[in-house]
Short mmCIF file of all heavy atoms in Angstrom, two decimals:
data_model
loop_
_atom_site.label_atom_id
_atom_site.label_comp_id
_atom_site.label_asym_id
_atom_site.label_seq_id
_atom_site.Cartn_x
_atom_site.Cartn_y
_atom_site.Cartn_z
N MET A 25 2.09 105.38 15.16
CA MET A 25 1.43 105.61 16.44
C MET A 25 -0.05 105.80 16.22
O MET A 25 -0.50 106.11 15.12
CB MET A 25 2.03 106.83 17.13
CG MET A 25 1.62 108.15 16.52
SD MET A 25 2.47 109.53 17.28
CE MET A 25 1.85 110.84 16.22
N ALA A 26 -0.82 105.59 17.26
CA ALA A 26 -2.26 105.69 17.12
C ALA A 26 -2.86 106.18 18.43
O ALA A 26 -2.37 105.87 19.51
CB ALA A 26 -2.84 104.34 16.78
N LEU A 27 -3.91 106.94 18.30
CA LEU A 27 -4.65 107.37 19.48
C LEU A 27 -5.74 106.34 19.73
O LEU A 27 -6.66 106.20 18.95
CB LEU A 27 -5.26 108.77 19.25
CG LEU A 27 -5.93 109.41 20.44
CD1 LEU A 27 -4.91 109.65 21.55
CD2 LEU A 27 -6.56 110.74 20.04
N LEU A 28 -5.58 105.60 20.82
CA LEU A 28 -6.48 104.49 21.10
C LEU A 28 -7.38 104.81 22.28
O LEU A 28 -6.98 105.52 23.20
CB LEU A 28 -5.67 103.23 21.40
CG LEU A 28 -4.69 102.80 20.31
CD1 LEU A 28 -3.90 101.60 20.79
CD2 LEU A 28 -5.40 102.48 19.01
N ASP A 29 -8.56 104.25 22.24
CA ASP A 29 -9.50 104.40 23.35
C ASP A 29 -9.42 103.19 24.26
O ASP A 29 -9.41 102.05 23.79
CB ASP A 29 -10.92 104.54 22.82
CG ASP A 29 -11.16 105.87 22.15
OD1 ASP A 29 -10.78 106.89 22.75
OD2 ASP A 29 -11.70 105.88 21.04
N PHE A 30 -9.37 103.43 25.54
CA PHE A 30 -9.32 102.34 26.51
C PHE A 30 -10.39 102.54 27.57
O PHE A 30 -10.82 103.66 27.85
CB PHE A 30 -7.96 102.31 27.23
CG PHE A 30 -6.82 101.95 26.34
CD1 PHE A 30 -6.10 102.93 25.69
CD2 PHE A 30 -6.45 100.63 26.16
CE1 PHE A 30 -5.04 102.61 24.87
CE2 PHE A 30 -5.39 100.29 25.35
CZ PHE A 30 -4.68 101.29 24.70
N LYS A 31 -10.77 101.43 28.15
CA LYS A 31 -11.61 101.49 29.34
C LYS A 31 -10.95 100.64 30.41
O LYS A 31 -10.54 99.50 30.16
CB LYS A 31 -13.02 100.98 29.05
CG LYS A 31 -13.91 101.08 30.27
CD LYS A 31 -15.32 100.58 29.97
CE LYS A 31 -16.18 100.71 31.23
NZ LYS A 31 -17.52 100.14 31.05
N CYS A 32 -10.87 101.19 31.60
CA CYS A 32 -10.26 100.47 32.71
C CYS A 32 -11.25 99.49 33.31
O CYS A 32 -12.38 99.84 33.63
CB CYS A 32 -9.80 101.47 33.77
SG CYS A 32 -9.11 100.70 35.24
N ASN A 33 -10.82 98.24 33.44
CA ASN A 33 -11.68 97.23 34.04
C ASN A 33 -11.77 97.36 35.56
O ASN A 33 -12.64 96.77 36.19
CB ASN A 33 -11.17 95.83 33.68
CG ASN A 33 -11.41 95.51 32.21
OD1 ASN A 33 -12.40 95.90 31.63
ND2 ASN A 33 -10.49 94.79 31.61
N GLU A 34 -10.85 98.10 36.13
CA GLU A 34 -10.83 98.26 37.58
C GLU A 34 -11.81 99.35 38.04
O GLU A 34 -12.66 99.11 38.89
CB GLU A 34 -9.42 98.62 38.05
CG GLU A 34 -8.42 97.49 37.95
CD GLU A 34 -8.72 96.37 38.95
OE1 GLU A 34 -9.21 96.67 40.05
OE2 GLU A 34 -8.46 95.20 38.62
N CYS A 35 -11.67 100.54 37.47
CA CYS A 35 -12.47 101.66 37.95
C CYS A 35 -13.46 102.17 36.92
O CYS A 35 -14.27 103.05 37.21
CB CYS A 35 -11.56 102.80 38.41
SG CYS A 35 -10.65 103.60 37.08
N GLY A 36 -13.39 101.63 35.70
CA GLY A 36 -14.35 102.02 34.69
C GLY A 36 -14.00 103.31 33.96
O GLY A 36 -14.78 103.80 33.15
N GLU A 37 -12.82 103.85 34.24
CA GLU A 37 -12.39 105.08 33.59
C GLU A 37 -12.19 104.87 32.09
O GLU A 37 -11.61 103.88 31.66
CB GLU A 37 -11.05 105.54 34.22
CG GLU A 37 -10.44 106.76 33.58
CD GLU A 37 -11.05 108.06 34.11
OE1 GLU A 37 -12.05 108.00 34.83
OE2 GLU A 37 -10.51 109.12 33.79
N LYS A 38 -12.71 105.80 31.29
CA LYS A 38 -12.46 105.77 29.86
C LYS A 38 -11.45 106.86 29.52
O LYS A 38 -11.57 107.99 30.00
CB LYS A 38 -13.75 106.02 29.08
CG LYS A 38 -14.71 104.86 29.11
CD LYS A 38 -15.92 105.20 28.23
CE LYS A 38 -16.96 104.09 28.30
NZ LYS A 38 -18.17 104.45 27.53
N PHE A 39 -10.48 106.52 28.71
CA PHE A 39 -9.48 107.52 28.36
C PHE A 39 -8.85 107.19 27.01
O PHE A 39 -8.96 106.08 26.52
CB PHE A 39 -8.40 107.61 29.44
CG PHE A 39 -7.64 106.32 29.66
CD1 PHE A 39 -6.41 106.13 29.06
CD2 PHE A 39 -8.17 105.32 30.46
CE1 PHE A 39 -5.70 104.94 29.26
CE2 PHE A 39 -7.47 104.13 30.66
CZ PHE A 39 -6.25 103.95 30.06
N GLU A 40 -8.21 108.20 26.45
CA GLU A 40 -7.50 108.02 25.19
C GLU A 40 -6.01 108.07 25.47
O GLU A 40 -5.55 108.84 26.31
CB GLU A 40 -7.86 109.12 24.20
CG GLU A 40 -9.30 109.05 23.72
CD GLU A 40 -9.59 110.13 22.69
OE1 GLU A 40 -8.92 111.16 22.73
OE2 GLU A 40 -10.48 109.93 21.86
N GLU A 41 -5.27 107.23 24.76
CA GLU A 41 -3.84 107.20 24.98
C GLU A 41 -3.14 107.13 23.63
O GLU A 41 -3.54 106.37 22.75
CB GLU A 41 -3.48 105.97 25.82
CG GLU A 41 -2.03 105.91 26.25
CD GLU A 41 -1.73 106.84 27.43
OE1 GLU A 41 -2.65 107.17 28.18
OE2 GLU A 41 -0.56 107.24 27.57
N LEU A 42 -2.11 107.94 23.48
CA LEU A 42 -1.32 107.90 22.27
C LEU A 42 -0.30 106.78 22.40
O LEU A 42 0.54 106.79 23.29
CB LEU A 42 -0.61 109.25 22.09
CG LEU A 42 -0.18 109.65 20.68
CD1 LEU A 42 -1.36 109.61 19.72
CD2 LEU A 42 0.40 111.05 20.72
N VAL A 43 -0.43 105.76 21.55
CA VAL A 43 0.39 104.56 21.67
C VAL A 43 1.39 104.49 20.52
O VAL A 43 1.02 104.65 19.36
CB VAL A 43 -0.49 103.30 21.68
CG1 VAL A 43 0.38 102.05 21.73
CG2 VAL A 43 -1.45 103.34 22.86
N PHE A 44 2.63 104.26 20.85
CA PHE A 44 3.67 104.13 19.84
C PHE A 44 4.00 102.66 19.63
O PHE A 44 4.28 101.93 20.59
CB PHE A 44 4.94 104.87 20.28
CG PHE A 44 4.73 106.36 20.40
CD1 PHE A 44 4.27 106.90 21.58
CD2 PHE A 44 5.00 107.19 19.33
CE1 PHE A 44 4.08 108.28 21.70
CE2 PHE A 44 4.81 108.56 19.44
CZ PHE A 44 4.35 109.10 20.63
N GLY A 45 4.00 102.24 18.37
CA GLY A 45 4.36 100.87 18.06
C GLY A 45 3.55 99.87 18.86
O GLY A 45 2.34 99.92 18.89
N GLY A 46 4.25 98.92 19.49
CA GLY A 46 3.55 97.87 20.22
C GLY A 46 3.50 98.11 21.71
O GLY A 46 3.51 97.17 22.49
N ASN A 47 3.46 99.38 22.09
CA ASN A 47 3.51 99.70 23.52
C ASN A 47 2.15 99.71 24.21
O ASN A 47 2.00 100.31 25.26
CB ASN A 47 4.19 101.05 23.72
CG ASN A 47 5.67 100.98 23.45
OD1 ASN A 47 6.26 99.90 23.39
ND2 ASN A 47 6.30 102.11 23.28
N VAL A 48 1.19 99.04 23.61
CA VAL A 48 -0.14 99.00 24.21
C VAL A 48 -0.09 98.40 25.61
O VAL A 48 -0.80 98.82 26.52
CB VAL A 48 -1.10 98.18 23.32
CG1 VAL A 48 -2.47 98.05 23.98
CG2 VAL A 48 -1.25 98.84 21.96
N ASP A 49 0.80 97.42 25.79
CA ASP A 49 0.90 96.74 27.08
C ASP A 49 1.40 97.66 28.20
O ASP A 49 1.26 97.34 29.37
CB ASP A 49 1.85 95.54 26.98
CG ASP A 49 1.26 94.44 26.11
OD1 ASP A 49 0.05 94.49 25.86
OD2 ASP A 49 2.01 93.56 25.71
N LYS A 50 2.00 98.78 27.82
CA LYS A 50 2.56 99.68 28.83
C LYS A 50 1.58 100.76 29.27
O LYS A 50 1.88 101.56 30.14
CB LYS A 50 3.84 100.34 28.28
CG LYS A 50 4.94 99.33 28.03
CD LYS A 50 6.17 100.02 27.43
CE LYS A 50 7.25 98.98 27.13
NZ LYS A 50 8.40 99.58 26.45
N VAL A 51 0.41 100.77 28.62
CA VAL A 51 -0.59 101.78 28.97
C VAL A 51 -1.18 101.48 30.34
O VAL A 51 -1.46 100.34 30.67
CB VAL A 51 -1.71 101.81 27.91
CG1 VAL A 51 -2.79 102.81 28.30
CG2 VAL A 51 -1.13 102.15 26.54
N ARG A 52 -1.30 102.51 31.14
CA ARG A 52 -1.89 102.37 32.47
C ARG A 52 -3.06 103.32 32.60
O ARG A 52 -3.09 104.38 32.00
CB ARG A 52 -0.85 102.72 33.56
CG ARG A 52 0.34 101.78 33.62
CD ARG A 52 -0.06 100.43 34.15
NE ARG A 52 1.08 99.54 34.28
CZ ARG A 52 1.56 98.77 33.32
NH1 ARG A 52 1.00 98.80 32.14
NH2 ARG A 52 2.59 97.98 33.52
N CYS A 53 -4.01 102.95 33.41
CA CYS A 53 -5.13 103.82 33.71
C CYS A 53 -4.64 105.08 34.43
O CYS A 53 -3.92 104.97 35.43
CB CYS A 53 -6.13 103.08 34.60
SG CYS A 53 -7.47 104.13 35.19
N PRO A 54 -5.01 106.26 33.92
CA PRO A 54 -4.55 107.51 34.55
C PRO A 54 -5.22 107.76 35.89
O PRO A 54 -4.77 108.61 36.65
CB PRO A 54 -4.95 108.58 33.52
CG PRO A 54 -6.11 107.99 32.79
CD PRO A 54 -5.85 106.49 32.73
N ARG A 55 -6.26 107.03 36.16
CA ARG A 55 -7.01 107.26 37.40
C ARG A 55 -6.53 106.38 38.54
O ARG A 55 -6.27 106.84 39.65
CB ARG A 55 -8.49 107.01 37.12
CG ARG A 55 -9.43 107.43 38.22
CD ARG A 55 -10.84 107.18 37.73
NE ARG A 55 -11.84 107.63 38.67
CZ ARG A 55 -13.15 107.41 38.49
NH1 ARG A 55 -13.56 106.77 37.42
NH2 ARG A 55 -14.01 107.81 39.36
N CYS A 56 -6.42 105.06 38.26
CA CYS A 56 -6.06 104.14 39.33
C CYS A 56 -4.73 103.43 39.09
O CYS A 56 -4.23 102.73 39.97
CB CYS A 56 -7.18 103.12 39.55
SG CYS A 56 -7.33 101.92 38.21
N GLY A 57 -4.17 103.58 37.88
CA GLY A 57 -2.87 102.98 37.61
C GLY A 57 -2.92 101.52 37.19
O GLY A 57 -1.89 100.89 36.99
N SER A 58 -4.11 100.98 37.03
CA SER A 58 -4.24 99.57 36.65
C SER A 58 -3.87 99.36 35.19
O SER A 58 -4.01 100.25 34.35
CB SER A 58 -5.68 99.12 36.87
OG SER A 58 -5.89 97.83 36.33
N ASN A 59 -3.36 98.18 34.89
CA ASN A 59 -3.09 97.84 33.48
C ASN A 59 -4.12 96.83 32.97
O ASN A 59 -3.95 96.24 31.92
CB ASN A 59 -1.67 97.30 33.30
CG ASN A 59 -1.46 95.99 34.04
OD1 ASN A 59 -2.29 95.57 34.85
ND2 ASN A 59 -0.35 95.34 33.80
N ASP A 60 -5.18 96.67 33.73
CA ASP A 60 -6.27 95.78 33.31
C ASP A 60 -7.24 96.60 32.45
O ASP A 60 -8.27 97.06 32.91
CB ASP A 60 -6.97 95.21 34.54
CG ASP A 60 -8.01 94.16 34.16
OD1 ASP A 60 -8.04 93.75 32.99
OD2 ASP A 60 -8.79 93.77 35.04
N LEU A 61 -6.87 96.77 31.19
CA LEU A 61 -7.59 97.68 30.32
C LEU A 61 -8.22 96.96 29.15
O LEU A 61 -7.76 95.91 28.73
CB LEU A 61 -6.64 98.75 29.78
CG LEU A 61 -5.85 99.52 30.83
CD1 LEU A 61 -4.82 100.39 30.15
CD2 LEU A 61 -6.74 100.34 31.71
N LYS A 62 -9.25 97.54 28.63
CA LYS A 62 -9.93 97.00 27.47
C LYS A 62 -9.87 98.03 26.35
O LYS A 62 -10.18 99.20 26.56
CB LYS A 62 -11.38 96.70 27.84
CG LYS A 62 -12.23 96.17 26.71
CD LYS A 62 -13.65 95.96 27.24
CE LYS A 62 -14.61 95.62 26.11
NZ LYS A 62 -16.00 95.55 26.60
N ARG A 63 -9.47 97.58 25.17
CA ARG A 63 -9.45 98.48 24.02
C ARG A 63 -10.88 98.73 23.56
O ARG A 63 -11.68 97.81 23.51
CB ARG A 63 -8.67 97.85 22.87
CG ARG A 63 -7.18 97.81 23.09
CD ARG A 63 -6.49 99.04 22.56
NE ARG A 63 -6.63 99.17 21.11
CZ ARG A 63 -5.84 98.59 20.23
NH1 ARG A 63 -4.88 97.82 20.60
NH2 ARG A 63 -6.03 98.79 18.95
N ILE A 64 -11.19 99.96 23.22
CA ILE A 64 -12.52 100.31 22.73
C ILE A 64 -12.41 100.70 21.26
O ILE A 64 -11.61 101.55 20.89
CB ILE A 64 -13.11 101.48 23.52
CG1 ILE A 64 -13.20 101.13 25.00
CG2 ILE A 64 -14.48 101.84 22.98
CD1 ILE A 64 -13.63 102.31 25.87
N TYR A 65 -13.22 100.04 20.45
CA TYR A 65 -13.27 100.38 19.04
C TYR A 65 -14.61 101.00 18.74
O TYR A 65 -15.65 100.40 18.94
CB TYR A 65 -13.08 99.13 18.18
CG TYR A 65 -11.75 98.46 18.38
CD1 TYR A 65 -11.62 97.41 19.27
CD2 TYR A 65 -10.65 98.89 17.66
CE1 TYR A 65 -10.40 96.79 19.46
CE2 TYR A 65 -9.42 98.29 17.84
CZ TYR A 65 -9.31 97.23 18.75
OH TYR A 65 -8.10 96.63 18.93
N GLU A 66 -14.57 102.20 18.26
CA GLU A 66 -15.82 102.90 17.97
C GLU A 66 -15.92 103.26 16.49
O GLU A 66 -16.67 104.13 16.10
CB GLU A 66 -15.92 104.16 18.82
CG GLU A 66 -16.02 103.83 20.30
CD GLU A 66 -16.10 105.08 21.15
OE1 GLU A 66 -15.61 106.13 20.71
OE2 GLU A 66 -16.65 105.00 22.26
N GLY A 67 -15.14 102.58 15.67
CA GLY A 67 -15.20 102.84 14.25
C GLY A 67 -14.49 104.11 13.83
O GLY A 67 -14.62 104.56 12.70
N LYS A 68 -13.73 104.69 14.75
CA LYS A 68 -13.00 105.90 14.41
C LYS A 68 -11.69 105.54 13.72
O LYS A 68 -11.08 104.53 14.03
CB LYS A 68 -12.70 106.71 15.67
CG LYS A 68 -13.94 107.37 16.22
CD LYS A 68 -13.60 108.32 17.35
CE LYS A 68 -13.25 107.57 18.62
NZ LYS A 68 -13.04 108.48 19.75
N CYS A 69 -11.30 106.35 12.81
CA CYS A 69 -10.08 106.08 12.06
C CYS A 69 -9.02 107.12 12.39
O CYS A 69 -9.27 108.31 12.33
CB CYS A 69 -10.36 106.11 10.58
SG CYS A 69 -8.90 105.81 9.58
N TYR A 70 -7.84 106.65 12.72
CA TYR A 70 -6.76 107.57 13.06
C TYR A 70 -5.69 107.63 11.98
O TYR A 70 -4.73 108.34 12.09
CB TYR A 70 -6.12 107.15 14.39
CG TYR A 70 -7.13 107.06 15.49
CD1 TYR A 70 -7.52 105.84 16.00
CD2 TYR A 70 -7.71 108.22 15.99
CE1 TYR A 70 -8.47 105.76 17.00
CE2 TYR A 70 -8.66 108.15 16.99
CZ TYR A 70 -9.03 106.92 17.49
OH TYR A 70 -9.97 106.84 18.48
N PHE A 71 -5.88 106.80 10.95
CA PHE A 71 -4.91 106.81 9.86
C PHE A 71 -5.60 107.18 8.56
O PHE A 71 -6.73 106.76 8.30
CB PHE A 71 -4.29 105.42 9.68
CG PHE A 71 -3.38 105.03 10.80
CD1 PHE A 71 -3.86 104.26 11.84
CD2 PHE A 71 -2.06 105.44 10.81
CE1 PHE A 71 -3.03 103.90 12.89
CE2 PHE A 71 -1.23 105.08 11.85
CZ PHE A 71 -1.71 104.31 12.89
N GLY A 72 -4.95 107.91 7.74
CA GLY A 72 -5.44 108.18 6.40
C GLY A 72 -6.77 108.90 6.36
O GLY A 72 -7.59 108.65 5.49
N ILE A 73 -6.98 109.81 7.30
CA ILE A 73 -8.24 110.55 7.30
C ILE A 73 -8.29 111.48 6.09
O ILE A 73 -7.43 112.31 5.89
CB ILE A 73 -8.38 111.37 8.59
CG1 ILE A 73 -8.49 110.42 9.79
CG2 ILE A 73 -9.59 112.29 8.51
CD1 ILE A 73 -8.43 111.14 11.12
N SER A 74 -9.29 111.27 5.25
CA SER A 74 -9.37 112.04 4.01
C SER A 74 -10.67 112.80 3.88
O SER A 74 -10.82 113.63 3.00
CB SER A 74 -9.22 111.10 2.82
OG SER A 74 -10.35 110.26 2.74
N GLY A 75 -11.63 112.50 4.74
CA GLY A 75 -12.92 113.17 4.65
C GLY A 75 -13.84 112.54 3.63
O GLY A 75 -14.91 113.04 3.37
N SER A 76 -13.40 111.44 3.03
CA SER A 76 -14.26 110.75 2.08
C SER A 76 -15.38 110.02 2.82
O SER A 76 -15.36 109.92 4.04
CB SER A 76 -13.45 109.76 1.25
OG SER A 76 -13.15 108.62 2.02
N SER A 77 -16.31 109.48 2.08
CA SER A 77 -17.46 108.84 2.71
C SER A 77 -17.25 107.34 2.93
O SER A 77 -18.10 106.67 3.45
CB SER A 77 -18.70 109.05 1.85
OG SER A 77 -18.50 108.50 0.57
N SER A 78 -16.10 106.81 2.50
CA SER A 78 -15.87 105.38 2.67
C SER A 78 -15.50 105.06 4.10
O SER A 78 -14.70 105.75 4.72
CB SER A 78 -14.76 104.90 1.72
OG SER A 78 -13.55 105.52 2.05
N GLY A 79 -16.10 104.02 4.65
CA GLY A 79 -15.81 103.63 6.02
C GLY A 79 -16.55 104.53 6.99
O GLY A 79 -16.81 105.69 6.73
N SER A 80 -16.90 104.00 8.13
CA SER A 80 -17.66 104.76 9.10
C SER A 80 -16.82 105.87 9.73
O SER A 80 -17.35 106.81 10.28
CB SER A 80 -18.19 103.84 10.19
OG SER A 80 -17.13 103.24 10.89
N GLY A 81 -15.50 105.74 9.63
CA GLY A 81 -14.63 106.77 10.19
C GLY A 81 -14.26 107.83 9.19
O GLY A 81 -13.53 108.75 9.48
N GLY A 82 -14.76 107.70 7.96
CA GLY A 82 -14.48 108.68 6.94
C GLY A 82 -13.06 108.64 6.42
O GLY A 82 -12.50 109.65 6.03
N CYS A 83 -12.46 107.47 6.41
CA CYS A 83 -11.08 107.39 5.98
C CYS A 83 -10.98 106.75 4.60
O CYS A 83 -11.89 106.06 4.14
CB CYS A 83 -10.25 106.58 6.96
SG CYS A 83 -10.71 104.85 7.01
N SER A 84 -9.85 106.95 3.96
CA SER A 84 -9.65 106.37 2.63
C SER A 84 -9.38 104.88 2.73
O SER A 84 -9.60 104.14 1.79
CB SER A 84 -8.47 107.05 1.94
OG SER A 84 -7.28 106.82 2.66
N GLY A 85 -8.87 104.44 3.86
CA GLY A 85 -8.66 103.03 4.10
C GLY A 85 -7.31 102.50 3.67
O GLY A 85 -6.88 101.48 4.16
N SER A 86 -6.63 103.19 2.78
CA SER A 86 -5.40 102.63 2.24
C SER A 86 -4.32 102.44 3.30
O SER A 86 -3.56 101.49 3.25
CB SER A 86 -4.89 103.51 1.11
OG SER A 86 -4.60 104.80 1.60
N SER A 87 -4.27 103.34 4.26
CA SER A 87 -3.23 103.23 5.27
C SER A 87 -3.81 103.02 6.65
O SER A 87 -3.11 103.13 7.65
CB SER A 87 -2.35 104.48 5.26
OG SER A 87 -3.14 105.61 5.54
N CYS A 88 -5.08 102.71 6.68
CA CYS A 88 -5.74 102.54 7.97
C CYS A 88 -5.50 101.13 8.50
O CYS A 88 -5.79 100.16 7.84
CB CYS A 88 -7.23 102.79 7.82
SG CYS A 88 -8.15 102.49 9.33
N ARG A 89 -5.01 101.04 9.72
CA ARG A 89 -4.75 99.73 10.31
C ARG A 89 -5.44 99.55 11.64
O ARG A 89 -5.39 98.48 12.23
CB ARG A 89 -3.25 99.51 10.48
CG ARG A 89 -2.52 99.31 9.17
CD ARG A 89 -1.04 99.15 9.40
NE ARG A 89 -0.47 100.40 9.94
CZ ARG A 89 0.56 100.43 10.77
NH1 ARG A 89 1.12 99.35 11.17
NH2 ARG A 89 1.01 101.58 11.19
N SER A 90 -6.06 100.58 12.16
CA SER A 90 -6.61 100.46 13.51
C SER A 90 -8.09 100.75 13.56
O SER A 90 -8.67 100.80 14.63
CB SER A 90 -5.87 101.41 14.45
OG SER A 90 -6.18 102.75 14.12
N CYS A 91 -8.69 100.94 12.41
CA CYS A 91 -10.09 101.36 12.39
C CYS A 91 -10.99 100.16 12.14
O CYS A 91 -10.94 99.54 11.08
CB CYS A 91 -10.28 102.41 11.30
SG CYS A 91 -11.98 102.90 11.09
N SER A 92 -11.81 99.82 13.10
CA SER A 92 -12.68 98.65 12.94
C SER A 92 -13.82 98.93 11.99
O SER A 92 -14.46 98.04 11.50
CB SER A 92 -13.23 98.24 14.29
OG SER A 92 -14.04 99.26 14.84
N GLY A 93 -14.09 100.21 11.73
CA GLY A 93 -15.17 100.55 10.83
C GLY A 93 -14.75 100.63 9.39
O GLY A 93 -15.55 100.84 8.50
N CYS A 94 -13.44 100.44 9.16
CA CYS A 94 -12.91 100.57 7.81
C CYS A 94 -12.88 99.19 7.15
O CYS A 94 -12.45 98.21 7.73
CB CYS A 94 -11.49 101.14 7.86
SG CYS A 94 -10.73 101.29 6.26
N SER A 95 -13.34 99.10 5.93
CA SER A 95 -13.42 97.83 5.24
C SER A 95 -12.03 97.28 4.92
O SER A 95 -11.87 96.11 4.64
CB SER A 95 -14.23 97.96 3.97
OG SER A 95 -13.63 98.90 3.11
N ASN A 96 -11.04 98.12 4.97
CA ASN A 96 -9.68 97.67 4.71
C ASN A 96 -9.01 97.22 6.01
O ASN A 96 -7.86 97.08 6.11
CB ASN A 96 -8.85 98.76 4.04
CG ASN A 96 -9.35 99.03 2.64
OD1 ASN A 96 -9.15 98.24 1.74
ND2 ASN A 96 -10.02 100.15 2.47
ZN1 ZN B 8 -8.67 102.61 36.50
#
């Protein structure tokens, strides 16, 4: 599972949603209920956080799969 950032294309609401497996398609905007959402990547790492200096999210990278700032 991963905590993902979304932005709603309908109302512009930004929110975080805890997503399990491939259930990204089931995420709805908490404000207007729209499923027209955009994933936001801010280089944050939700996997393998170790506090090291590698990657912009400070992750070790070995188990990171959702971090756009991670070289892995
Ligand atoms: Zn919305």
Side-chain angles (χ1 to χ4, degrees):
M25 74 185 176
L27 186 63
L28 303 176
D29 289 312
F30 293 92
K31 182 180 180 184
C32 177
N33 288 325
E34 290 291 327
C35 68
E37 176 82 351
K38 287 183 183 176
F39 61 97
E40 292 182 334
E41 187 78 24
L42 203 55
V43 177
F44 296 87
N47 289 344
V48 176
D49 291 345
K50 295 178 182 175
V51 177
R52 295 290 183 273
C53 173
R55 190 176 184 186
C56 70
S58 171
N59 64 349
D60 186 11
L61 306 172
K62 178 182 172 186
R63 287 269 297 275
I64 301 173
Y65 298 95
E66 295 179 334
K68 288 188 285 186
C69 179
Y70 304 108
F71 291 96
I73 295 171
S74 68
S76 75
S77 60
S78 64
S80 63
C83 67
S84 63
S86 61
S87 61
C88 176
R89 289 178 295 149
S90 68
C91 175
S92 63
C94 178
S95 60
N96 292 287

